[in-house]
PDB file of all heavy atoms in Angstrom:
ATOM      1  N   GLY A 379    -111.245  78.873  52.224  1.00  0.00           N
ATOM      2  CA  GLY A 379    -110.505  77.666  52.624  1.00  0.00           C
ATOM      3  C   GLY A 379    -109.448  77.282  51.587  1.00  0.00           C
ATOM      4  O   GLY A 379    -108.314  76.937  51.939  1.00  0.00           O
ATOM      5  N   LYS A 380    -109.815  77.417  50.307  1.00  0.00           N
ATOM      6  CA  LYS A 380    -108.850  77.131  49.232  1.00  0.00           C
ATOM      7  C   LYS A 380    -107.716  78.150  49.272  1.00  0.00           C
ATOM      8  O   LYS A 380    -106.548  77.799  49.096  1.00  0.00           O
ATOM      9  CB  LYS A 380    -109.567  77.211  47.879  1.00  0.00           C
ATOM     10  CG  LYS A 380    -110.513  76.066  47.589  1.00  0.00           C
ATOM     11  CD  LYS A 380    -109.769  74.874  47.018  1.00  0.00           C
ATOM     12  CE  LYS A 380    -110.724  73.787  46.561  1.00  0.00           C
ATOM     13  NZ  LYS A 380    -109.990  72.621  46.007  1.00  0.00           N
ATOM     14  N   ALA A 381    -108.056  79.409  49.488  1.00  0.00           N
ATOM     15  CA  ALA A 381    -107.022  80.453  49.562  1.00  0.00           C
ATOM     16  C   ALA A 381    -106.076  80.153  50.735  1.00  0.00           C
ATOM     17  O   ALA A 381    -104.854  80.288  50.605  1.00  0.00           O
ATOM     18  CB  ALA A 381    -107.677  81.815  49.739  1.00  0.00           C
ATOM     19  N   ARG A 382    -106.642  79.695  51.845  1.00  0.00           N
ATOM     20  CA  ARG A 382    -105.813  79.355  53.016  1.00  0.00           C
ATOM     21  C   ARG A 382    -104.854  78.212  52.669  1.00  0.00           C
ATOM     22  O   ARG A 382    -103.668  78.250  53.004  1.00  0.00           O
ATOM     23  CB  ARG A 382    -106.701  78.951  54.195  1.00  0.00           C
ATOM     24  CG  ARG A 382    -105.934  78.503  55.431  1.00  0.00           C
ATOM     25  CD  ARG A 382    -106.862  77.945  56.495  1.00  0.00           C
ATOM     26  NE  ARG A 382    -107.544  78.991  57.234  1.00  0.00           N
ATOM     27  CZ  ARG A 382    -107.005  79.635  58.268  1.00  0.00           C
ATOM     28  NH1 ARG A 382    -105.757  79.346  58.629  1.00  0.00           N
ATOM     29  NH2 ARG A 382    -107.681  80.560  58.917  1.00  0.00           N
ATOM     30  N   GLN A 383    -105.353  77.210  51.967  1.00  0.00           N
ATOM     31  CA  GLN A 383    -104.495  76.078  51.574  1.00  0.00           C
ATOM     32  C   GLN A 383    -103.316  76.575  50.725  1.00  0.00           C
ATOM     33  O   GLN A 383    -102.175  76.159  50.932  1.00  0.00           O
ATOM     34  CB  GLN A 383    -105.294  75.061  50.766  1.00  0.00           C
ATOM     35  CG  GLN A 383    -106.220  74.185  51.585  1.00  0.00           C
ATOM     36  CD  GLN A 383    -107.109  73.314  50.670  1.00  0.00           C
ATOM     37  OE1 GLN A 383    -106.942  73.313  49.445  1.00  0.00           O
ATOM     38  NE2 GLN A 383    -108.057  72.616  51.277  1.00  0.00           N
ATOM     39  N   ILE A 384    -103.607  77.489  49.801  1.00  0.00           N
ATOM     40  CA  ILE A 384    -102.544  78.024  48.939  1.00  0.00           C
ATOM     41  C   ILE A 384    -101.508  78.770  49.789  1.00  0.00           C
ATOM     42  O   ILE A 384    -100.297  78.523  49.692  1.00  0.00           O
ATOM     43  CB  ILE A 384    -103.148  78.982  47.882  1.00  0.00           C
ATOM     44  CG1 ILE A 384    -103.958  78.210  46.846  1.00  0.00           C
ATOM     45  CG2 ILE A 384    -102.051  79.807  47.200  1.00  0.00           C
ATOM     46  CD1 ILE A 384    -104.809  79.092  45.926  1.00  0.00           C
ATOM     47  N   VAL A 385    -101.994  79.643  50.653  1.00  0.00           N
ATOM     48  CA  VAL A 385    -101.101  80.480  51.468  1.00  0.00           C
ATOM     49  C   VAL A 385    -100.248  79.620  52.401  1.00  0.00           C
ATOM     50  O   VAL A 385     -99.023  79.725  52.422  1.00  0.00           O
ATOM     51  CB  VAL A 385    -101.931  81.502  52.274  1.00  0.00           C
ATOM     52  CG1 VAL A 385    -101.089  82.187  53.347  1.00  0.00           C
ATOM     53  CG2 VAL A 385    -102.560  82.530  51.342  1.00  0.00           C
ATOM     54  N   GLU A 386    -100.929  78.719  53.127  1.00  0.00           N
ATOM     55  CA  GLU A 386    -100.184  77.881  54.088  1.00  0.00           C
ATOM     56  C   GLU A 386     -99.319  76.861  53.362  1.00  0.00           C
ATOM     57  O   GLU A 386     -98.241  76.503  53.833  1.00  0.00           O
ATOM     58  CB  GLU A 386    -101.170  77.240  55.068  1.00  0.00           C
ATOM     59  CG  GLU A 386    -101.819  78.307  55.964  1.00  0.00           C
ATOM     60  CD  GLU A 386    -102.881  77.781  56.915  1.00  0.00           C
ATOM     61  OE1 GLU A 386    -103.300  76.614  56.767  1.00  0.00           O
ATOM     62  OE2 GLU A 386    -103.301  78.571  57.799  1.00  0.00           O
ATOM     63  N   GLY A 387     -99.756  76.469  52.156  1.00  0.00           N
ATOM     64  CA  GLY A 387     -98.951  75.546  51.354  1.00  0.00           C
ATOM     65  C   GLY A 387     -97.610  76.169  50.956  1.00  0.00           C
ATOM     66  O   GLY A 387     -96.613  75.478  50.771  1.00  0.00           O
ATOM     67  N   LEU A 388     -97.594  77.506  50.892  1.00  0.00           N
ATOM     68  CA  LEU A 388     -96.359  78.219  50.538  1.00  0.00           C
ATOM     69  C   LEU A 388     -95.563  78.619  51.784  1.00  0.00           C
ATOM     70  O   LEU A 388     -94.598  79.374  51.702  1.00  0.00           O
ATOM     71  CB  LEU A 388     -96.720  79.480  49.734  1.00  0.00           C
ATOM     72  CG  LEU A 388     -97.283  79.252  48.326  1.00  0.00           C
ATOM     73  CD1 LEU A 388     -97.870  80.543  47.769  1.00  0.00           C
ATOM     74  CD2 LEU A 388     -96.202  78.712  47.398  1.00  0.00           C
ATOM     75  N   GLY A 389     -96.043  78.144  52.953  1.00  0.00           N
ATOM     76  CA  GLY A 389     -95.323  78.455  54.189  1.00  0.00           C
ATOM     77  C   GLY A 389     -95.572  79.882  54.671  1.00  0.00           C
ATOM     78  O   GLY A 389     -94.780  80.443  55.436  1.00  0.00           O
ATOM     79  N   LEU A 390     -96.659  80.463  54.216  1.00  0.00           N
ATOM     80  CA  LEU A 390     -97.034  81.822  54.625  1.00  0.00           C
ATOM     81  C   LEU A 390     -98.187  81.749  55.624  1.00  0.00           C
ATOM     82  O   LEU A 390     -98.742  80.665  55.860  1.00  0.00           O
ATOM     83  CB  LEU A 390     -97.447  82.631  53.385  1.00  0.00           C
ATOM     84  CG  LEU A 390     -96.462  82.621  52.216  1.00  0.00           C
ATOM     85  CD1 LEU A 390     -97.073  83.257  50.981  1.00  0.00           C
ATOM     86  CD2 LEU A 390     -95.157  83.322  52.611  1.00  0.00           C
ATOM     87  N   ASP A 391     -98.558  82.931  56.195  1.00  0.00           N
ATOM     88  CA  ASP A 391     -99.640  82.981  57.187  1.00  0.00           C
ATOM     89  C   ASP A 391    -100.761  83.886  56.710  1.00  0.00           C
ATOM     90  O   ASP A 391    -100.513  84.844  55.967  1.00  0.00           O
ATOM     91  CB  ASP A 391     -99.098  83.593  58.496  1.00  0.00           C
ATOM     92  CG  ASP A 391     -98.575  82.519  59.460  1.00  0.00           C
ATOM     93  OD1 ASP A 391     -98.784  81.328  59.158  1.00  0.00           O
ATOM     94  OD2 ASP A 391     -97.953  82.899  60.471  1.00  0.00           O
ATOM     95  N   LEU A 392    -101.966  83.643  57.177  1.00  0.00           N
ATOM     96  CA  LEU A 392    -103.072  84.562  56.891  1.00  0.00           C
ATOM     97  C   LEU A 392    -102.994  85.721  57.881  1.00  0.00           C
ATOM     98  O   LEU A 392    -102.768  85.519  59.070  1.00  0.00           O
ATOM     99  CB  LEU A 392    -104.414  83.839  57.047  1.00  0.00           C
ATOM    100  CG  LEU A 392    -104.757  82.744  56.048  1.00  0.00           C
ATOM    101  CD1 LEU A 392    -106.175  82.249  56.253  1.00  0.00           C
ATOM    102  CD2 LEU A 392    -104.609  83.238  54.624  1.00  0.00           C
ATOM    103  N   ALA A 393    -103.192  86.934  57.366  1.00  0.00           N
ATOM    104  CA  ALA A 393    -103.226  88.103  58.248  1.00  0.00           C
ATOM    105  C   ALA A 393    -104.556  88.144  58.977  1.00  0.00           C
ATOM    106  O   ALA A 393    -105.607  87.864  58.394  1.00  0.00           O
ATOM    107  CB  ALA A 393    -103.050  89.379  57.424  1.00  0.00           C
ATOM    108  N   SER A 394    -104.507  88.498  60.260  1.00  0.00           N
ATOM    109  CA  SER A 394    -105.752  88.692  61.012  1.00  0.00           C
ATOM    110  C   SER A 394    -106.336  90.057  60.633  1.00  0.00           C
ATOM    111  O   SER A 394    -105.623  90.880  60.036  1.00  0.00           O
ATOM    112  CB  SER A 394    -105.436  88.719  62.520  1.00  0.00           C
ATOM    113  OG  SER A 394    -104.707  89.911  62.811  1.00  0.00           O
ATOM    114  N   PRO A 395    -107.595  90.326  60.994  1.00  0.00           N
ATOM    115  CA  PRO A 395    -108.152  91.665  60.691  1.00  0.00           C
ATOM    116  C   PRO A 395    -107.287  92.796  61.257  1.00  0.00           C
ATOM    117  O   PRO A 395    -107.019  93.774  60.559  1.00  0.00           O
ATOM    118  CB  PRO A 395    -109.516  91.602  61.356  1.00  0.00           C
ATOM    119  CG  PRO A 395    -109.906  90.159  61.281  1.00  0.00           C
ATOM    120  CD  PRO A 395    -108.622  89.402  61.496  1.00  0.00           C
ATOM    121  N   ASP A 396    -106.793  92.646  62.455  1.00  0.00           N
ATOM    122  CA  ASP A 396    -105.976  93.734  63.029  1.00  0.00           C
ATOM    123  C   ASP A 396    -104.626  93.860  62.326  1.00  0.00           C
ATOM    124  O   ASP A 396    -104.121  94.972  62.139  1.00  0.00           O
ATOM    125  CB  ASP A 396    -105.790  93.527  64.541  1.00  0.00           C
ATOM    126  CG  ASP A 396    -107.051  93.945  65.307  1.00  0.00           C
ATOM    127  OD1 ASP A 396    -107.896  94.643  64.688  1.00  0.00           O
ATOM    128  OD2 ASP A 396    -107.197  93.541  66.472  1.00  0.00           O
ATOM    129  N   GLU A 397    -104.065  92.735  61.895  1.00  0.00           N
ATOM    130  CA  GLU A 397    -102.803  92.810  61.138  1.00  0.00           C
ATOM    131  C   GLU A 397    -103.060  93.496  59.786  1.00  0.00           C
ATOM    132  O   GLU A 397    -102.260  94.316  59.333  1.00  0.00           O
ATOM    133  CB  GLU A 397    -102.230  91.405  60.942  1.00  0.00           C
ATOM    134  CG  GLU A 397    -101.612  90.837  62.217  1.00  0.00           C
ATOM    135  CD  GLU A 397    -101.351  89.346  62.170  1.00  0.00           C
ATOM    136  OE1 GLU A 397    -102.004  88.635  61.353  1.00  0.00           O
ATOM    137  OE2 GLU A 397    -100.508  88.886  62.960  1.00  0.00           O
ATOM    138  N   ALA A 398    -104.205  93.214  59.189  1.00  0.00           N
ATOM    139  CA  ALA A 398    -104.558  93.880  57.917  1.00  0.00           C
ATOM    140  C   ALA A 398    -104.741  95.381  58.154  1.00  0.00           C
ATOM    141  O   ALA A 398    -104.293  96.199  57.350  1.00  0.00           O
ATOM    142  CB  ALA A 398    -105.839  93.269  57.355  1.00  0.00           C
ATOM    143  N   ARG A 399    -105.348  95.761  59.281  1.00  0.00           N
ATOM    144  CA  ARG A 399    -105.545  97.176  59.599  1.00  0.00           C
ATOM    145  C   ARG A 399    -104.191  97.891  59.674  1.00  0.00           C
ATOM    146  O   ARG A 399    -104.036  98.998  59.168  1.00  0.00           O
ATOM    147  CB  ARG A 399    -106.300  97.329  60.927  1.00  0.00           C
ATOM    148  CG  ARG A 399    -107.776  96.944  60.832  1.00  0.00           C
ATOM    149  CD  ARG A 399    -108.537  97.187  62.120  1.00  0.00           C
ATOM    150  NE  ARG A 399    -109.943  96.922  61.879  1.00  0.00           N
ATOM    151  CZ  ARG A 399    -110.540  95.761  62.204  1.00  0.00           C
ATOM    152  NH1 ARG A 399    -109.872  94.790  62.815  1.00  0.00           N
ATOM    153  NH2 ARG A 399    -111.833  95.583  61.933  1.00  0.00           N
ATOM    154  N   GLU A 400    -103.247  97.204  60.291  1.00  0.00           N
ATOM    155  CA  GLU A 400    -101.911  97.804  60.421  1.00  0.00           C
ATOM    156  C   GLU A 400    -101.226  97.892  59.053  1.00  0.00           C
ATOM    157  O   GLU A 400    -100.706  98.936  58.667  1.00  0.00           O
ATOM    158  CB  GLU A 400    -101.074  96.962  61.380  1.00  0.00           C
ATOM    159  CG  GLU A 400     -99.886  97.731  61.954  1.00  0.00           C
ATOM    160  CD  GLU A 400     -99.136  96.870  62.960  1.00  0.00           C
ATOM    161  OE1 GLU A 400     -99.795  96.054  63.656  1.00  0.00           O
ATOM    162  OE2 GLU A 400     -97.894  97.009  63.000  1.00  0.00           O
ATOM    163  N   MET A 401    -101.293  96.817  58.284  1.00  0.00           N
ATOM    164  CA  MET A 401    -100.631  96.790  56.974  1.00  0.00           C
ATOM    165  C   MET A 401    -101.209  97.836  56.019  1.00  0.00           C
ATOM    166  O   MET A 401    -100.504  98.362  55.164  1.00  0.00           O
ATOM    167  CB  MET A 401    -100.768  95.396  56.343  1.00  0.00           C
ATOM    168  CG  MET A 401    -100.001  94.300  57.067  1.00  0.00           C
ATOM    169  SD  MET A 401    -100.627  92.653  56.704  1.00  0.00           S
ATOM    170  CE  MET A 401     -99.974  92.394  55.041  1.00  0.00           C
ATOM    171  N   LEU A 402    -102.493  98.165  56.189  1.00  0.00           N
ATOM    172  CA  LEU A 402    -103.169  99.090  55.273  1.00  0.00           C
ATOM    173  C   LEU A 402    -103.428 100.459  55.908  1.00  0.00           C
ATOM    174  O   LEU A 402    -104.086 101.313  55.304  1.00  0.00           O
ATOM    175  CB  LEU A 402    -104.487  98.467  54.793  1.00  0.00           C
ATOM    176  CG  LEU A 402    -104.376  97.095  54.115  1.00  0.00           C
ATOM    177  CD1 LEU A 402    -105.756  96.556  53.792  1.00  0.00           C
ATOM    178  CD2 LEU A 402    -103.512  97.195  52.865  1.00  0.00           C
ATOM    179  N   ALA A 403    -102.942 100.658  57.121  1.00  0.00           N
ATOM    180  CA  ALA A 403    -103.126 101.931  57.854  1.00  0.00           C
ATOM    181  C   ALA A 403    -104.594 102.344  57.916  1.00  0.00           C
ATOM    182  O   ALA A 403    -104.973 103.475  57.574  1.00  0.00           O
ATOM    183  CB  ALA A 403    -102.285 103.036  57.201  1.00  0.00           C
TER     184      ALA A 403
END
Side-chain angles (χ1 to χ4, degrees):
K380 288 276 187 180
R382 177 188 282 277
Q383 284 173 5
I384 290 169
V385 168
E386 293 176 349
L388 291 168
L390 309 171
D391 268 352
L392 292 186
S394 69
D396 282 345
E397 286 165 338
R399 288 184 174 98
E400 200 177 327
M401 292 159 75
L402 304 176

